[in-house]
Structure formats: C-alpha cells, structure tokens
Amino acid sequence: MALGEFALIARYFSAVGAARADVRVGVGDDAAVLQCPPDAQLVAAIDTLVEGVHFPAGSAPQSIGHRALAVNLSDLAAMGARPAWALLALTLPRAEERWLEDFARGFDALARRHDLALVGGDTTRGPLCVSVQVLGFAPQGRILLRGGARLGDALYVTGHPGDAACGLGLEQGTLAGVAAEDAQYLRARFLYPEPRVEWGTWLIGRASACIDVSDGLLGDAAKLAAASACGVQLDVERLPLSGALRRACGAEQALRFALSGGDDYELLFTVPQPRVAHFEQEAAAGAIACSRIGTLCAGGPAQLRRAGNVIEFSHSGYDHFAL
Ligand code: ADP
Ligand code: MG
C-alpha cells in the first residue's frame, strides 16, 4: 500500500538527527520553535540538490541524504559556525519505502555526528529535488568571511581537492581502468563528502578569510580574493593531489580536476604572514590537515604559476547559468 504524506513524514522524518534541548517544538506542528543561545550569532545557509544536475539519476539514496546535508554543513564550516538545526524540503516522484529509509539513514548518520536536529520541512511530489536549510551558531562578531584577507596572506586548502570530481567521473562511467581500491576511495569522496566543521570552528581567530570549495578550487579562490579586494597566485606544484587521483587519471588531468572539478567541500582559507609560522606548527601537530597553495597578491583575479612562471588555464569552475 502506498504511504500517505503524513505517515511518510511521521515514519521517516520525525526523529532524524540528534535530540537537542534547544528544540522546543520540532517536526509535527506548523513550524519549529527553536531556542537561540543569548551570546551567539545565528548563521543560516540553504542548498538544493537536483537529480541529474547535482547527482547522477539513480544515485544511491543514502548518498543523496548524506550529500544534501553535507553541502550545507560545509557552508557553515566555511563561516566557522557550529551546526544546530536543519529543515528539509523534499520533492519525490513517488513514496518508495526502501528509498526513503536509505535516504533518511544517510541524512541521520551525518546529522548525529554533528549534533544536529532535523526540526521541520516540506514533502511534495514531483521530479526528485532535495533542499536543505541549516542553522548554526558562531561566537558574536568572530565569523569567518570571504572578504577578510589582505595582500600577502598565505592561502591554504584542506584535504585533497580533485578527488570528488574524479569520483563523479567513475560514477558516470567516463573514467575506467582504475584500480579497485583507488576507485572505491575516489567514489566515496564524491558520494560521502566530509564537511570540515571542526576545522572551520578551529580556524576562528586564526584564518583571515575562508570559503568552502564547491564549484572548483580556482574559481572559489578567485571569489575569496575578489571579496577581499585582492588577486591570488596559486602554485600548481603545491596542490595536494592524492595518490589515488594521480594514479587514476595522470598528473595533468588530476590538476584539472583539482582546479576546476567541484564537489570537494574542502575549506580554502588565508592566514596573515605574521601568523604563518605558528599556524603551520599547530597544523603539523595535527590541528588541521591543510597545504599552503598560494598567496594573496595585487591585481586579479586568479593567476596560476608553475616553477615560478605564470601559466594559462581556461576552466574557472561551475556556473549553472554560464552560456
Ligand atoms: P503544513 O501543511 O502545515 O506546512 P506539513 O504537512 O507540510 O505542514 O508538515 C507537517 C510537519 O512535518 C511540519 O512540522 C513540517 O515541518 C514537518 N515536515 C514535513 N515534511 C518534512 C520533511 N521532509 N522532513 C522533516 N519534517 C517535515
Ligand atoms: Mg501547517
């Protein structure tokens, strides 16, 4: 028997994520009632995933549930905010129990790891589309912004950019002949990105500016630089390409994935020169896994250097409305 809308919500979405004392009214009434801490600033973000645009048609529902939340947590991480609550607007072609169960499981597992409660949403019928809004907190006046960098600041990226774009290629069957272990790692980097929430909160007071890499490293670096009224120089030999990525597609294609691939959900941030030595000591001691890849400079927007020489690169990143 087909599941009705209200039974569906009650069964799959009434107890998703962590139980939080600051949720006065959660799923079930006309709206959620949430208690904000008195000394924090509320930070809000929303992102939509459309089937066939943000994930291939027929993707595993557990991955869709994970990613729909992860891409939003990544936006909070980029601000240095700690997540608290989420709302989920789900449009489905049909109410398939197995699909809903797996989708909710993917969302729930990530939500619990970040102590986040699902407090409401909307469920409608139509082409598969998942919209998640997240709300979180950051200490008053200390939020990380894109526009805080200054000339000479050092530019860092967390993790290994490019893996996710290669993983998507594997999912779509446009790449083949990759060793099983590498393929599994790269696919997981697309299907289950890890939002850098802990690192983002740690960067408060250390980074001068921050953005998350969702549309390609080069384009997102240019956005951070432009918001900071600077340019940026990237040294391509400093890009932290994973071994799996290099083995899967060779050095040049790996570079292309890392610079313009998208879907990384790593943090790209700047540290003022006087703080660099201390920052790198803390990073080396295990506070954050990141690599220095460039410097904020005059002019703009983004310049690539190889062995000290400027090189050309045309793919700047993903733009839904680019012609
Ligand atoms: P209304 O018609 O008043 O907007 P709904 O029937 O859409 O209410 O939703 C009933 C309750 O279920 C509300 O608390 C709403 O926030 C919640 N809800 C609906 N869909 C979802 C969903 N996909 N995930 C979480 N909560 C949901
Ligand atoms: Mg209502």
Side-chain angles (χ1 to χ4, degrees):
M1 199 194 86
L3 200 58
E5 178 188 332
F6 304 104
L8 182 163
I9 295 166
R11 184 176 308 170
Y12 297 107
F13 299 113
S14 61
V16 171
R20 292 178 59 105
D22 54 13
V23 180
R24 301 287 192 257
V25 177
V27 172
D29 214 311
D30 289 315
V33 181
L34 308 166
Q35 193 64 49
C36 290
D39 53 348
Q41 277 181 303
L42 188 62
V43 183
I46 185 164
D47 256 318
T48 298
L49 303 189
V50 178
E51 183 178 48
V53 178
H54 300 92
F55 56 88
S59 284
Q62 198 174 334
S63 159
I64 300 170
H66 176 100
R67 290 185 78 240
L69 180 57
V71 302
N72 279 285
L73 293 182
S74 180
D75 281 325
L76 289 196
M79 310 294 286
R82 204 166 273 294
W85 311 308
L87 295 120
L88 165 66
L90 186 58
T91 304
L92 292 168
R94 66 199 85 81
E96 235 172 69
E97 300 195 22
R98 185 65 202 274
W99 192 97
L100 282 158
E101 199 178 302
D102 288 350
F103 172 87
R105 187 179 322 129
F107 192 106
D108 180 66
L110 183 62
R112 283 175 196 269
R113 279 202 273 131
H114 291 281
D115 192 28
L116 172 138
L118 182 65
V119 299
D122 194 28
T123 306
T124 52
R125 187 168 191 154
L128 181 58
C129 175
V130 188
S131 215
V132 173
Q133 182 186 38
V134 288
L135 300 160
F137 309 119
Q140 199 64 251
R142 305 195 64 209
I143 290 170
L144 298 173
L145 302 174
R146 295 179 179 187
R150 297 292 170 262
L151 282 184
D153 285 6
L155 182 74
Y156 294 83
V157 70
T158 59
H160 300 291
D163 288 351
C166 183
L168 175 59
L170 288 164
E171 280 292 294
Q172 293 178 314
T174 57
L175 271 168
V178 179
E181 203 177 310
D182 287 342
Q184 193 187 2
Y185 161 84
L186 293 163
R187 282 197 150 112
R189 294 271 290 150
F190 174 77
L191 295 172
Y192 297 97
E194 193 59 52
R196 305 307 193 183
V197 171
E198 288 306 317
W199 291 342
T201 57
W202 183 80
L203 284 172
I204 286 193
R206 293 181 168 89
S208 47
C210 188
I211 185 171
D212 75 317
V213 184
S214 53
D215 302 328
L217 179 94
L218 186 58
D220 289 331
K223 286 180 201 159
L224 181 150
S228 297
C230 293
V232 60
Q233 281 180 341
L234 288 178
D235 296 308
V236 296
E237 42 296 70
R238 286 175 174 266
L239 288 172
L241 307 176
S242 71
L245 179 62
R246 277 187 276 113
R247 286 190 295 274
C249 60
E252 281 308 301
Q253 179 59 31
L255 207 55
R256 240 170 270 137
F257 276 139
L259 287 169
S260 62
D263 296 315
D264 292 310
Y265 303 105
E266 296 294 347
L267 297 180
L268 186 64
F269 60 93
T270 52
V271 175
Q273 270 307 329
R275 286 196 218 140
V276 160
H278 185 241
F279 173 82
E280 292 197 353
Q281 272 170 17
E282 292 183 298
I288 187 169
C290 64
S291 310
R292 181 167 179 179
I293 57 167
T295 306
L296 281 267
C297 61
Q303 215 179 60
L304 289 179
R305 291 187 315 186
R306 177 178 261 157
N309 300 312
V310 173
I311 60 168
E312 287 304 314
F313 186 83
S314 54
H315 308 275
S316 58
Y318 195 76
D319 177 342
H320 281 280
F321 296 101
L323 295 173

